Amino acid sequence: LHKLYSGDASPLAEYIQCAEFLELLLNDLFNPSKSIPSQHKAKYVYLLARACGTRSVRRPLAASDEALCRASGQTNADMYAATTDLCVTEDTSEVAGTQKALEGVMA
């Protein structure tokens, strides 16, 4: 998952924003009886930061937006939500700050 979400054409963050996944990450990171290998801990923190620090923006899809959505790596399934024409973009400006805060808490 880390490799997928840290790449250029990452999936939408809403896929990792479900309560069950967030609970799994939180339990693994903050449960003293769990031991996460050090090489994985930073990846868990990044995924948690990505899930919590990303905001999806949905707006009606204009004719000029299709190329923009395709350029962002979204597939047709991602571009069109249910039967309505929506362009989904993500604001990831808070991810780095969230990651830094999580790393500070864990230090």
Side-chain angles (χ1 to χ4, degrees):
L1 281 174
H2 178 265
K3 186 184 278 189
L4 281 171
Y5 278 93
S6 60
D8 290 336
S10 63
L12 294 174
E14 64 188 28
Y15 299 126
I16 59 171
Q17 291 173 332
C18 68
E20 294 85 3
F21 183 70
L22 294 175
E23 184 177 355
L24 174 77
L25 287 175
L26 288 169
N27 284 338
D28 284 353
L29 285 169
F30 294 103
N31 186 341
S33 66
K34 296 253 183 165
S35 177
I36 301 172
S38 59
Q39 69 267 24
H40 295 309
K41 192 173 279 191
K43 294 174 183 178
Y44 280 35
V45 168
Y46 176 80
L47 287 170
L48 186 58
R50 180 68 189 266
C52 296
T54 302
R55 180 176 59 93
S56 291
V57 179
R58 296 175 185 273
R59 60 184 174 77
L61 184 65
S64 60
D65 288 333
E66 187 172 352
L68 176 64
C69 288
R70 287 192 193 289
S72 71
Q74 295 180 16
T75 64
N76 285 337
D78 292 333
M79 278 195 296
Y80 302 106
T83 58
T84 60
D85 292 336
L86 295 174
C87 181
V88 181
T89 57
E90 292 187 332
D91 176 5
T92 58
S93 60
E94 299 296 322
V95 172
T98 304
Q99 184 175 5
K100 193 170 190 174
L102 285 168
E103 289 168 348
V105 167
M106 297 185 64

XYZ file of all heavy atoms in Angstrom:
807
model
N 0.820 -1.196 0.000
C 0.000 0.000 0.000
C 0.860 1.254 0.000
O 0.525 2.223 -0.665
C -0.926 0.008 1.217
C -2.164 -0.851 1.133
C -2.902 -0.868 2.459
C -3.075 -0.393 0.033
N 1.938 1.217 0.761
C 2.806 2.393 0.802
C 3.342 2.716 -0.588
O 3.367 3.874 -0.991
C 3.961 2.168 1.781
C 4.904 3.317 1.827
N 6.051 3.361 1.075
C 4.845 4.481 2.514
C 6.676 4.497 1.302
N 5.974 5.186 2.178
N 3.755 1.698 -1.303
C 4.293 1.917 -2.643
C 3.231 2.532 -3.563
O 3.511 3.451 -4.322
C 4.791 0.595 -3.240
C 5.492 0.760 -4.575
C 5.890 -0.573 -5.172
C 7.175 -1.037 -4.551
N 7.729 -2.223 -5.226
N 1.989 2.031 -3.465
C 0.896 2.572 -4.281
C 0.605 4.026 -3.951
O 0.446 4.855 -4.844
C -0.384 1.765 -4.073
C -0.503 0.446 -4.794
C -1.733 -0.301 -4.306
C -0.577 0.660 -6.285
N 0.498 4.342 -2.663
C 0.087 5.676 -2.251
C 1.211 6.701 -2.250
O 0.950 7.892 -2.192
C -0.612 5.629 -0.889
C -2.053 5.230 -1.041
C -2.444 3.907 -0.935
C -3.013 6.174 -1.357
C -3.753 3.532 -1.118
C -4.335 5.807 -1.549
C -4.697 4.488 -1.424
O -6.003 4.131 -1.625
N 2.453 6.281 -2.330
C 3.544 7.244 -2.386
C 3.990 7.498 -3.830
O 4.838 8.344 -4.068
C 4.725 6.775 -1.542
O 5.212 5.534 -1.999
N 3.395 6.796 -4.785
C 3.726 6.995 -6.193
C 2.985 8.164 -6.816
O 2.129 8.797 -6.193
N 3.316 8.445 -8.055
C 2.718 9.580 -8.767
C 1.240 9.372 -9.083
O 0.447 10.303 -8.980
C 3.482 9.853 -10.074
C 4.867 10.409 -9.810
O 5.064 11.004 -8.730
O 5.733 10.259 -10.674
N 0.852 8.190 -9.491
C -0.543 7.922 -9.872
C -1.211 7.086 -8.782
O -1.670 5.976 -9.010
C -0.592 7.203 -11.217
N -1.271 7.657 -7.581
C -1.816 6.900 -6.455
C -3.338 6.836 -6.505
O -3.986 7.720 -7.057
C -1.369 7.537 -5.140
O -1.880 8.841 -5.032
N -3.916 5.788 -5.917
C -5.376 5.687 -5.848
C -5.939 6.788 -4.949
O -5.195 7.442 -4.211
C -5.626 4.317 -5.220
C -4.319 3.620 -5.193
C -3.251 4.651 -5.332
N -7.240 6.953 -4.989
C -7.876 7.935 -4.124
C -7.695 7.542 -2.662
O -7.773 6.362 -2.309
C -9.370 8.031 -4.437
C -9.734 8.585 -5.817
C -11.235 8.495 -6.039
C -9.255 10.014 -5.965
N -7.470 8.526 -1.809
C -7.255 8.269 -0.385
C -8.502 7.719 0.287
O -8.400 7.057 1.318
C -6.806 9.544 0.319
N -9.663 7.945 -0.292
C -10.891 7.457 0.351
C -10.884 5.937 0.515
O -11.565 5.408 1.377
C -12.137 7.918 -0.397
C -12.287 7.386 -1.786
C -13.443 8.052 -2.532
O -13.781 9.198 -2.252
O -13.996 7.362 -3.413
N -10.075 5.251 -0.276
C -9.987 3.798 -0.146
C -9.301 3.373 1.149
O -9.499 2.260 1.623
C -9.274 3.176 -1.342
C -9.964 3.416 -2.657
C -9.278 3.967 -3.721
C -11.306 3.124 -2.825
C -9.914 4.199 -4.940
C -11.951 3.357 -4.030
C -11.251 3.892 -5.079
O -11.888 4.128 -6.274
N -8.452 4.235 1.705
C -7.781 3.908 2.967
C -8.332 4.747 4.126
O -7.756 4.747 5.210
C -6.246 4.057 2.859
C -5.845 5.470 2.471
C -5.674 3.020 1.918
C -4.347 5.744 2.564
N -9.423 5.437 3.903
C -10.019 6.260 4.952
C -11.151 5.553 5.687
O -11.816 6.160 6.515
C -10.526 7.588 4.371
C -9.403 8.500 3.937
C -9.874 9.734 3.203
O -10.921 9.730 2.560
N -9.084 10.794 3.282
N -11.344 4.269 5.437
C -12.409 3.541 6.133
C -11.980 3.312 7.585
O -10.796 3.165 7.897
C -12.740 2.230 5.434
S -11.450 0.999 5.493
N -12.957 3.300 8.472
C -12.703 3.204 9.909
C -11.911 1.950 10.283
O -11.022 2.006 11.148
C -14.022 3.241 10.665
N -12.199 0.835 9.638
C -11.525 -0.410 9.980
C -10.025 -0.336 9.684
O -9.208 -0.798 10.477
C -12.144 -1.594 9.223
C -13.562 -1.908 9.620
C -14.600 -1.057 8.883
O -14.227 -0.239 8.003
O -15.788 -1.204 9.198
N -9.666 0.254 8.555
C -8.251 0.360 8.193
C -7.533 1.330 9.129
O -6.424 1.054 9.597
C -8.094 0.791 6.738
C -6.660 0.855 6.287
C -5.924 -0.292 6.116
C -6.042 2.079 6.052
C -4.587 -0.238 5.723
C -4.724 2.140 5.655
C -3.992 0.982 5.492
N -8.183 2.456 9.426
C -7.571 3.434 10.334
C -7.390 2.829 11.723
O -6.362 3.045 12.372
C -8.426 4.702 10.397
C -8.505 5.490 9.100
C -9.470 6.657 9.235
C -7.135 5.971 8.656
N -8.373 2.070 12.181
C -8.265 1.417 13.490
C -7.112 0.416 13.500
O -6.349 0.342 14.474
C -9.582 0.713 13.826
C -9.596 0.102 15.200
C -10.941 -0.530 15.539
O -11.891 -0.424 14.754
O -11.003 -1.149 16.612
N -6.946 -0.327 12.423
C -5.838 -1.276 12.321
C -4.494 -0.553 12.431
O -3.612 -0.967 13.199
C -5.927 -2.033 10.991
C -4.772 -2.962 10.674
C -4.905 -4.245 11.478
C -4.735 -3.262 9.195
N -4.332 0.531 11.676
C -3.079 1.285 11.736
C -2.840 1.854 13.126
O -1.734 1.755 13.671
C -3.088 2.425 10.707
C -2.929 2.041 9.242
C -3.075 3.274 8.353
C -1.601 1.365 8.986
N -3.865 2.466 13.705
C -3.716 3.058 15.037
C -3.374 2.003 16.083
O -2.489 2.222 16.930
C -4.986 3.809 15.427
C -5.227 5.116 14.668
C -6.631 5.633 14.932
C -4.183 6.153 15.044
N -4.061 0.868 16.035
C -3.772 -0.206 16.995
C -2.358 -0.733 16.835
O -1.668 -0.987 17.821
C -4.780 -1.348 16.863
C -6.112 -1.010 17.484
O -6.216 -0.150 18.338
N -7.149 -1.692 17.039
N -1.932 -0.912 15.610
C -0.577 -1.425 15.388
C 0.489 -0.416 15.812
O 1.520 -0.788 16.373
C -0.376 -1.812 13.923
C -1.041 -3.125 13.566
O -1.555 -3.807 14.477
O -1.052 -3.472 12.372
N 0.242 0.867 15.558
C 1.246 1.885 15.879
C 1.311 2.220 17.370
O 2.387 2.481 17.904
C 0.974 3.165 15.087
C 1.343 3.125 13.610
C 0.780 4.330 12.880
C 2.862 3.069 13.449
N 0.172 2.238 18.038
C 0.142 2.758 19.401
C -0.142 1.711 20.472
O -0.246 2.051 21.645
C -0.872 3.902 19.499
C -0.465 5.096 18.681
C -1.074 5.354 17.468
C 0.555 5.933 19.107
C -0.690 6.448 16.705
C 0.946 7.016 18.352
C 0.328 7.286 17.144
N -0.245 0.459 20.121
C -0.437 -0.603 21.101
C 0.941 -1.078 21.549
O 1.700 -1.625 20.754
C -1.230 -1.760 20.485
C -1.580 -2.828 21.482
O -0.975 -2.925 22.540
N -2.563 -3.635 21.133
N 1.269 -0.887 22.849
C 2.616 -1.247 23.307
C 2.930 -2.742 23.196
O 4.096 -3.120 23.142
C 2.641 -0.806 24.772
C 1.306 -0.287 25.095
C 0.451 -0.308 23.875
N 1.909 -3.574 23.128
C 2.168 -5.011 23.025
C 2.443 -5.453 21.588
O 2.837 -6.580 21.355
C 0.996 -5.810 23.602
O -0.158 -5.620 22.817
N 2.231 -4.560 20.628
C 2.527 -4.873 19.222
C 3.931 -4.406 18.885
O 4.365 -3.344 19.307
C 1.534 -4.163 18.290
C 0.108 -4.597 18.454
C -0.300 -5.435 17.298
C -1.759 -5.801 17.450
N -2.334 -6.296 16.263
N 4.607 -5.199 18.105
C 5.952 -4.839 17.671
C 5.979 -4.769 16.150
O 5.820 -5.783 15.475
C 6.951 -5.872 18.176
O 8.235 -5.565 17.714
N 6.161 -3.557 15.634
C 6.231 -3.345 14.186
C 7.707 -3.232 13.813
O 8.441 -2.468 14.448
C 5.512 -2.053 13.769
C 4.045 -2.096 14.187
C 5.613 -1.823 12.274
C 3.332 -0.786 13.987
N 8.152 -3.976 12.808
C 9.544 -3.825 12.362
C 9.826 -2.369 11.992
O 8.979 -1.685 11.415
C 9.635 -4.731 11.132
C 8.522 -5.724 11.299
C 7.438 -4.994 12.031
N 10.992 -1.882 12.359
C 11.321 -0.466 12.148
C 11.214 -0.045 10.682
O 10.843 1.091 10.390
C 12.712 -0.156 12.688
O 13.676 -0.969 12.051
N 11.498 -0.946 9.749
C 11.412 -0.582 8.333
C 9.966 -0.385 7.880
O 9.719 0.227 6.847
C 12.132 -1.596 7.425
C 11.467 -2.950 7.325
C 11.987 -3.953 8.327
O 12.515 -3.589 9.380
N 11.837 -5.230 8.032
N 8.995 -0.880 8.660
C 7.586 -0.726 8.298
C 6.900 0.424 9.035
O 5.889 0.935 8.573
C 6.812 -2.013 8.579
C 7.251 -3.164 7.746
N 7.368 -3.109 6.380
C 7.615 -4.417 8.096
C 7.784 -4.265 5.911
N 7.951 -5.084 6.931
N 7.450 0.818 10.164
C 6.801 1.835 10.996
C 6.613 3.144 10.227
O 5.529 3.740 10.251
C 7.602 2.081 12.259
C 6.839 2.900 13.289
C 7.592 2.989 14.600
C 7.342 1.719 15.366
N 7.794 1.791 16.750
N 7.620 3.609 9.517
C 7.509 4.858 8.759
C 6.456 4.736 7.654
O 5.740 5.703 7.356
C 8.857 5.233 8.155
N 6.320 3.555 7.089
C 5.311 3.332 6.053
C 3.907 3.378 6.649
O 2.989 3.939 6.046
C 5.558 2.005 5.341
C 6.859 2.014 4.549
C 7.171 0.668 3.960
C 8.510 0.720 3.238
N 8.889 -0.556 2.683
N 3.728 2.800 7.831
C 2.431 2.857 8.512
C 2.071 4.313 8.817
O 0.940 4.732 8.633
C 2.481 2.069 9.821
C 2.349 0.573 9.708
C 2.880 -0.135 8.648
C 1.701 -0.142 10.703
C 2.769 -1.513 8.570
C 1.582 -1.528 10.633
C 2.121 -2.196 9.566
O 2.005 -3.552 9.490
N 3.056 5.064 9.322
C 2.825 6.477 9.655
C 2.443 7.253 8.398
O 1.512 8.061 8.419
C 4.071 7.092 10.338
C 3.960 8.604 10.432
C 4.259 6.487 11.719
N 3.129 6.994 7.291
C 2.795 7.689 6.047
C 1.366 7.376 5.606
O 0.614 8.276 5.221
C 3.771 7.337 4.919
C 3.358 7.981 3.618
C 3.654 9.309 3.370
C 2.631 7.276 2.666
C 3.237 9.918 2.195
C 2.208 7.869 1.500
C 2.522 9.202 1.272
O 2.094 9.811 0.120
N 0.974 6.107 5.651
C -0.384 5.729 5.240
C -1.436 6.377 6.138
O -2.468 6.850 5.655
C -0.550 4.214 5.244
C 0.152 3.479 4.112
C 0.119 1.973 4.348
C -0.485 3.821 2.763
N -1.165 6.429 7.427
C -2.094 7.077 8.348
C -2.171 8.573 8.058
O -3.264 9.157 8.018
C -1.660 6.826 9.793
C -2.587 7.321 10.886
C -3.977 6.704 10.757
C -1.999 7.010 12.253
N -1.034 9.194 7.819
C -1.011 10.621 7.478
C -1.727 10.877 6.157
O -2.473 11.855 6.022
C 0.431 11.123 7.403
N -1.516 10.022 5.193
C -2.174 10.181 3.890
C -3.693 10.057 4.026
O -4.449 10.810 3.438
C -1.634 9.148 2.910
C -2.216 9.193 1.527
C -1.800 10.478 0.800
N -2.515 10.623 -0.438
C -2.079 10.231 -1.614
N -0.891 9.687 -1.737
N -2.809 10.405 -2.681
N -4.136 9.094 4.838
C -5.569 8.897 5.029
C -6.196 10.067 5.784
O -7.289 10.519 5.439
C -5.823 7.593 5.782
N -5.504 10.561 6.796
C -6.069 11.629 7.632
C -5.819 13.031 7.075
O -6.569 13.947 7.382
C -5.489 11.542 9.032
S -5.945 10.023 9.885
N -4.774 13.181 6.285
C -4.411 14.515 5.800
C -4.867 14.826 4.391
O -4.499 15.852 3.835
N -5.670 13.953 3.793
C -6.130 14.154 2.423
C -7.621 14.460 2.410
O -8.397 13.792 3.063
C -5.867 12.908 1.559
O -4.469 12.634 1.580
C -6.301 13.118 0.120
N -7.976 15.477 1.649
C -9.386 15.851 1.502
C -9.771 15.694 0.041
O -9.132 16.239 -0.848
C -9.576 17.299 1.941
C -10.982 17.817 1.850
C -11.079 19.223 2.401
N -10.217 20.164 1.717
C -10.605 20.910 0.676
N -11.822 20.813 0.217
N -9.764 21.751 0.118
N -10.827 14.906 -0.203
C -11.327 14.739 -1.569
C -12.229 15.904 -1.930
O -13.038 16.347 -1.121
C -12.121 13.436 -1.704
O -11.260 12.337 -1.594
N -12.066 16.386 -3.138
C -12.889 17.487 -3.643
C -13.665 16.955 -4.834
O -13.085 16.510 -5.812
C -12.009 18.688 -4.073
C -12.874 19.808 -4.621
C -11.134 19.160 -2.926
N -14.976 16.968 -4.716
C -15.838 16.485 -5.791
C -16.614 17.666 -6.351
O -17.212 18.417 -5.613
C -16.812 15.429 -5.271
C -16.125 14.192 -4.771
C -17.125 13.219 -4.155
N -16.448 12.087 -3.578
C -16.112 11.004 -4.241
N -16.395 10.889 -5.511
N -15.479 10.022 -3.645
N -16.576 17.793 -7.657
C -17.342 18.854 -8.303
C -17.849 18.351 -9.635
O -17.329 17.369 -10.175
C -16.500 20.106 -8.456
C -15.250 19.924 -9.277
C -14.431 21.211 -9.286
N -13.172 21.030 -9.935
C -12.995 20.975 -11.251
N -14.005 21.105 -12.062
N -11.806 20.801 -11.770
N -18.863 19.006 -10.167
C -19.388 18.558 -11.466
C -18.296 18.553 -12.526
O -17.418 19.415 -12.550
C -20.467 19.595 -11.788
C -20.858 20.147 -10.463
C -19.600 20.117 -9.617
N -18.347 17.555 -13.375
C -17.364 17.386 -14.434
C -17.749 18.242 -15.632
O -18.813 18.065 -16.215
C -17.290 15.910 -14.841
C -16.250 15.521 -15.870
C -14.855 15.742 -15.305
C -16.414 14.075 -16.257
N -16.900 19.185 -15.965
C -17.097 20.012 -17.151
C -16.373 19.346 -18.314
O -15.502 18.506 -18.129
C -16.557 21.420 -16.912
N -16.729 19.729 -19.515
C -16.105 19.124 -20.700
C -14.583 19.285 -20.667
O -13.843 18.388 -21.043
C -16.681 19.754 -21.962
N -14.102 20.413 -20.182
C -12.656 20.659 -20.152
C -11.959 19.884 -19.036
O -10.738 19.779 -19.017
C -12.393 22.149 -19.963
O -12.963 22.585 -18.744
N -12.719 19.336 -18.091
C -12.123 18.636 -16.959
C -11.702 17.206 -17.259
O -10.889 16.648 -16.547
C -13.106 18.586 -15.784
C -13.280 19.933 -15.125
O -12.333 20.739 -15.199
O -14.352 20.170 -14.561
N -12.260 16.600 -18.280
C -11.953 15.195 -18.533
C -10.461 14.982 -18.740
O -9.868 14.069 -18.185
C -12.743 14.657 -19.721
C -12.558 13.160 -19.872
C -13.472 12.565 -20.918
O -14.359 13.257 -21.428
O -13.269 11.387 -21.218
N -9.829 15.856 -19.509
C -8.386 15.731 -19.744
C -7.608 15.918 -18.441
O -6.643 15.210 -18.177
C -7.929 16.745 -20.786
N -8.049 16.846 -17.600
C -7.390 17.076 -16.317
C -7.497 15.844 -15.433
O -6.525 15.427 -14.812
C -8.010 18.291 -15.620
C -7.501 18.606 -14.220
C -6.031 18.986 -14.263
C -8.321 19.707 -13.592
N -8.682 15.245 -15.375
C -8.874 14.043 -14.558
C -8.023 12.896 -15.083
O -7.411 12.168 -14.312
C -10.343 13.639 -14.538
S -11.370 14.750 -13.565
N -7.976 12.744 -16.384
C -7.147 11.679 -16.967
C -5.665 11.928 -16.674
O -4.922 11.006 -16.378
C -7.384 11.569 -18.457
C -8.718 10.966 -18.810
C -8.774 10.620 -20.302
N -10.119 10.322 -20.713
C -10.789 9.234 -20.385
N -10.226 8.339 -19.608
N -12.016 9.034 -20.805
N -5.243 13.183 -16.740
C -3.844 13.517 -16.484
C -3.454 13.230 -15.037
O -2.305 12.929 -14.752
C -3.589 14.985 -16.820
N -4.419 13.292 -14.126
C -4.118 13.020 -12.720
C -4.056 11.532 -12.429
O -3.845 11.120 -11.299
C -5.155 13.692 -11.812
O -6.396 13.036 -11.920
N -4.265 10.700 -13.459
C -4.136 9.260 -13.289
C -5.423 8.561 -12.904
O -5.418 7.381 -12.604
N -6.533 9.275 -12.917
C -7.792 8.650 -12.534
C -8.359 7.848 -13.695
O -8.283 8.254 -14.833
C -8.807 9.706 -12.107
C -8.385 10.452 -10.860
C -9.408 11.484 -10.456
O -10.535 11.457 -10.908
N -9.000 12.395 -9.609
N -8.902 6.708 -13.360
C -9.549 5.884 -14.369
C -10.979 6.365 -14.551
O -11.466 7.198 -13.788
C -9.577 4.413 -13.927
O -10.380 4.321 -12.756
C -8.185 3.886 -13.656
N -11.658 5.830 -15.547
C -13.064 6.193 -15.744
C -13.886 5.886 -14.509
O -14.770 6.640 -14.137
C -13.652 5.453 -16.949
C -13.166 6.037 -18.257
O -12.767 7.192 -18.304
N -13.170 5.246 -19.302
N -13.575 4.779 -13.840
C -14.320 4.416 -12.628
C -14.124 5.468 -11.544
O -15.049 5.783 -10.809
C -13.877 3.052 -12.130
N -12.904 6.010 -11.455
C -12.644 7.043 -10.460
C -13.244 8.384 -10.864
O -13.654 9.168 -10.019
C -11.140 7.233 -10.243
C -10.487 6.044 -9.569
O -11.198 5.333 -8.838
O -9.300 5.832 -9.780
N -13.262 8.659 -12.169
C -13.763 9.953 -12.628
C -15.252 10.096 -12.422
O -15.750 11.168 -12.159
C -13.465 10.155 -14.121
C -12.076 10.636 -14.398
S -11.930 11.260 -16.068
C -12.250 9.821 -17.022
N -15.965 9.035 -12.568
C -17.415 9.110 -12.505
C -17.909 8.415 -11.251
O -17.729 7.221 -11.087
C -18.045 8.471 -13.745
C -17.571 9.144 -15.007
C -16.664 8.524 -15.849
C -18.001 10.416 -15.328
C -16.204 9.150 -16.992
C -17.546 11.054 -16.473
C -16.655 10.422 -17.290
O -16.199 11.053 -18.405
N -18.493 9.164 -10.363
C -19.025 8.592 -9.122
C -20.475 8.193 -9.366
O -21.304 9.023 -9.708
C -18.930 9.612 -7.998
N -20.750 6.902 -9.175
C -22.087 6.327 -9.401
C -22.568 6.726 -10.796
O -21.903 6.428 -11.770
C -23.027 6.761 -8.309
N -23.697 7.389 -10.889
C -24.223 7.759 -12.209
C -24.108 9.254 -12.456
O -24.574 9.747 -13.466
C -25.710 7.359 -12.318
O -26.433 7.998 -11.269
C -25.857 5.852 -12.245
N -23.500 9.987 -11.544
C -23.329 11.423 -11.738
C -21.936 11.696 -12.259
O -20.990 10.985 -11.938
C -23.552 12.197 -10.426
O -22.608 11.733 -9.474
C -24.959 11.987 -9.903
N -21.804 12.712 -13.050
C -20.502 13.073 -13.604
C -19.789 14.008 -12.634
O -20.145 15.175 -12.497
C -20.661 13.762 -14.959
C -21.183 12.823 -16.023
O -20.991 11.610 -15.867
O -21.774 13.308 -16.993
N -18.785 13.474 -11.962
C -18.022 14.258 -11.001
C -16.543 14.111 -11.292
O -16.071 13.037 -11.652
C -18.283 13.783 -9.573
C -19.677 13.959 -9.010
C -19.766 13.301 -7.633
C -20.026 15.420 -8.901
N -15.819 15.182 -11.099
C -14.356 15.128 -11.158
C -13.888 15.087 -9.710
O -14.295 15.917 -8.895
C -13.799 16.364 -11.860
S -12.002 16.352 -11.979
N -13.082 14.116 -9.381
C -12.590 13.970 -8.016
C -11.111 14.326 -8.010
O -10.314 13.711 -8.695
C -12.788 12.529 -7.494
C -12.285 12.406 -6.073
C -14.238 12.113 -7.601
N -10.776 15.340 -7.246
C -9.376 15.690 -7.045
C -9.100 15.612 -5.559
O -10.019 15.574 -4.750
C -9.065 17.107 -7.578
O -9.933 18.042 -6.933
C -9.255 17.186 -9.079
N -7.835 15.567 -5.210
C -7.483 15.461 -3.801
C -6.555 16.583 -3.389
O -5.643 16.950 -4.122
C -6.821 14.112 -3.508
C -7.769 12.959 -3.646
C -7.169 11.649 -3.189
O -5.946 11.471 -3.253
O -7.952 10.808 -2.766
N -6.824 17.121 -2.222
C -5.965 18.135 -1.614
C -5.096 17.414 -0.600
O -5.575 16.974 0.438
C -6.829 19.207 -0.946
C -6.006 20.249 -0.210
O -4.760 20.196 -0.283
O -6.606 21.111 0.459
N -3.820 17.255 -0.921
C -2.905 16.532 -0.043
C -1.957 17.486 0.685
O -0.929 17.062 1.208
C -2.087 15.494 -0.841
O -1.375 16.185 -1.869
C -2.970 14.423 -1.438
N -2.305 18.748 0.757
C -1.408 19.745 1.352
C -1.172 19.523 2.846
O -0.181 20.007 3.390
C -1.954 21.156 1.115
O -3.233 21.305 1.695
N -2.053 18.788 3.517
C -1.905 18.562 4.952
C -1.159 17.269 5.290
O -0.888 17.007 6.453
C -3.289 18.537 5.615
C -4.077 19.825 5.461
C -3.412 21.003 6.157
O -2.846 20.798 7.245
O -3.441 22.109 5.598
N -0.831 16.464 4.280
C -0.218 15.152 4.548
C 1.135 15.289 5.240
O 1.404 14.617 6.240
C -0.099 14.318 3.258
C 0.698 13.047 3.497
C -1.481 13.978 2.726
N 1.995 16.159 4.746
C 3.339 16.296 5.332
C 3.265 16.758 6.786
O 3.974 16.228 7.648
C 4.178 17.255 4.512
N 2.411 17.725 7.082
C 2.259 18.208 8.453
C 1.693 17.136 9.371
O 2.118 16.992 10.523
N 0.736 16.375 8.867
C 0.145 15.290 9.652
C 1.190 14.224 9.927
O 1.290 13.704 11.047
C -1.062 14.681 8.911
O -2.002 15.710 8.612
C -1.730 13.600 9.733
N 1.990 13.893 8.921
C 3.041 12.886 9.095
C 4.052 13.346 10.133
O 4.468 12.568 10.997
C 3.711 12.612 7.755
C 4.746 11.505 7.817
C 5.312 11.176 6.448
O 5.006 11.817 5.455
N 6.151 10.169 6.398
N 4.454 14.618 10.067
C 5.422 15.148 11.025
C 4.861 15.115 12.449
O 5.559 14.762 13.391
C 5.796 16.570 10.621
C 6.992 17.120 11.315
C 7.413 18.431 10.680
C 8.756 18.852 11.210
N 9.281 20.017 10.543
N 3.575 15.457 12.602
C 2.951 15.422 13.920
C 2.891 14.000 14.473
O 3.185 13.781 15.662
C 1.544 16.025 13.842
N 2.547 13.047 13.630
C 2.493 11.638 14.064
C 3.881 11.154 14.478
O 4.017 10.445 15.481
C 1.935 10.752 12.958
C 0.434 10.833 12.728
C 0.065 10.140 11.426
C -0.307 10.199 13.892
N 4.895 11.517 13.713
C 6.249 11.098 14.042
C 6.685 11.714 15.375
O 7.369 11.072 16.164
C 7.216 11.483 12.927
C 7.028 10.656 11.678
C 7.754 11.200 10.458
O 8.241 12.358 10.501
O 7.823 10.462 9.452
N 6.245 12.954 15.638
C 6.560 13.607 16.908
C 5.910 12.905 18.088
O 6.520 12.753 19.149
N 4.665 12.459 17.901
C 3.961 11.749 18.960
C 4.635 10.422 19.255
O 4.711 9.987 20.408
C 2.480 11.523 18.562
C 1.801 10.543 19.478
C 1.733 12.845 18.522
N 5.151 9.780 18.236
C 5.735 8.452 18.398
C 7.161 8.492 18.910
O 7.701 7.470 19.329
C 5.675 7.702 17.081
C 4.251 7.459 16.625
S 4.181 6.467 15.167
C 4.868 4.955 15.791
N 7.796 9.660 18.886
C 9.203 9.743 19.299
C 9.368 9.612 20.805
O 8.532 9.735 21.588
C 9.794 11.073 18.834
